[in-house]
Amino acid sequence: KAGVTQTPRYLIKTRGQQVTLSCSPISGHRSVSWYQQTPGQGLQFLFEYFSETQRNKGNFPGRFSGRQFSNSRSEMNVSTLELGDSALYLCASSLAGGYLVEQFFGPGTRLTVL
Amino acid sequence: SQQGEEDPQALSIQEGENATMNCSYKTSINNLQWYRQNSGRGLVHLILIRSNEREKHSGRLRVTLDTSKKSSSLLITASRAADTASYFCATVFLGGNEKLTFGTGTRLTIIP
């Protein structure tokens, strides 16, 4: 099976712009989670989607949003970008919702905000 | 914060030696997972250990869990250069929102 794919892999934006990142989970996986990784804050949970519904959300401002489509592909959007949004954004998929089983991570999207 | 803490933050050992990393957490868990990350790339799942388990093995990896001390350790035996990476523990807390909470990570460097 193909692994989790994320597009684009690298992105450069300027402050105030918005960005959309995409994640395609492993075939058959219905849960997709998003994480932000920065040197200062480490790995932080953004949100989880299962069967097109947001099941869980981390402590991020409303500028961060996401959605999941019927084919389980997910997108996350960040509006009004700030310098502090520069990070590696990782998505992970799993067969079932929740975290009682292993998560399969994609390679990440490196976002740089200038 | 519920975030786990890992110890040490960085570890350098000679190839062939064993590497031990520790993870401590603050509240009761459902399970604890270990992940590896190579150089700012995606994470790779290593082992999941449930709260009612005390030890698990996978190849050269051995994970222990002590729920009374709220701690876990990851042992990599006979280390190889390819083991150079950052290692993270992640916990799923009981009674809280179901999400993975990652530790701060240990940066492991294997010296050939």
Side-chain angles (χ1 to χ4, degrees):
Chain A
K1 279 187 179 177
V4 178
T5 57
Q6 292 186 245
T7 56
R9 293 292 311 280
Y10 302 91
L11 205 48
I12 299 175
K13 292 284 188 179
T14 56
R15 279 181 298 174
Q17 288 187 309
Q18 76 164 21
V19 67
T20 299
L21 311 181
S22 181
C23 173
S24 292
I26 291 172
S27 178
H29 285 193
R30 295 166 63 190
S31 169
V32 174
S33 299
W34 288 88
Y35 295 84
Q36 181 197 65
Q37 186 177 28
T38 60
Q41 299 298 317
L43 278 153
Q44 292 190 292
F45 172 79
L46 280 157
F47 26 66
E48 182 207 3
Y49 287 87
F50 183 80
S51 293
E52 302 178 66
T53 301
Q54 186 181 87
R55 278 171 36 98
N56 214 338
K57 190 176 189 302
N59 297 323
F60 278 81
R63 300 185 297 107
F64 291 81
S65 63
R67 59 178 175 168
Q68 186 180 35
F69 302 95
S70 58
N71 62 357
S72 294
R73 189 178 70 86
S74 177
E75 289 181 346
M76 68 162 280
N77 184 77
V78 188
S79 62
T80 320
L81 284 165
E82 300 177 0
L83 295 178
D85 297 334
S86 293
L88 180 67
Y89 290 88
L90 295 161
C91 84
S93 75
S94 66
L95 200 56
Y99 297 92
L100 305 184
V101 294
E102 65 180 286
Q103 305 290 305
F104 294 84
F105 280 80
T109 293
R110 174 77 63 184
L111 172 65
T112 301
V113 182
L114 303 176
Chain B
S1 165
Q2 292 180 322
Q3 187 178 41
E5 300 224 348
E6 296 185 56
D7 170 58
Q9 288 189 325
L11 179 62
S12 291
I13 60 173
Q14 296 287 333
E15 192 168 19
E17 293 181 337
N18 296 342
T20 300
M21 288 158 269
N22 303 296
C23 168
S24 61
Y25 55 91
K26 295 180 181 177
T27 58
S28 296
I29 60 171
N30 176 289
N31 69 70
L32 185 145
Q33 305 178 29
W34 285 90
Y35 288 83
R36 183 186 75 227
Q37 184 179 38
N38 290 87
S39 231
R41 302 187 67 181
L43 281 76
V44 174
H45 181 268
L46 298 174
I47 288 184
L48 182 154
I49 187 165
R50 304 188 193 284
S51 60
N52 60 351
E53 297 175 309
R54 292 296 167 258
E55 188 171 310
K56 279 189 94 166
H57 296 255
S58 177
R60 294 182 297 112
L61 307 180
R62 172 179 169 247
V63 167
T64 60
L65 179 64
D66 187 336
T67 53
S68 66
K69 294 182 179 178
K70 293 187 171 56
S71 68
S72 174
S73 67
L74 169 67
L75 168 67
I76 304 174
T77 59
S79 63
R80 305 168 182 169
D83 295 329
T84 293
S86 292
Y87 291 81
F88 295 90
C89 67
T91 47
V92 179
F93 293 105
L94 276 179
N97 289 332
E98 284 188 359
K99 61 177 182 178
L100 274 179
T101 301
F102 281 87
T104 50
T106 292
R107 175 68 192 167
L108 175 65
T109 302
I110 308 299
I111 303 165

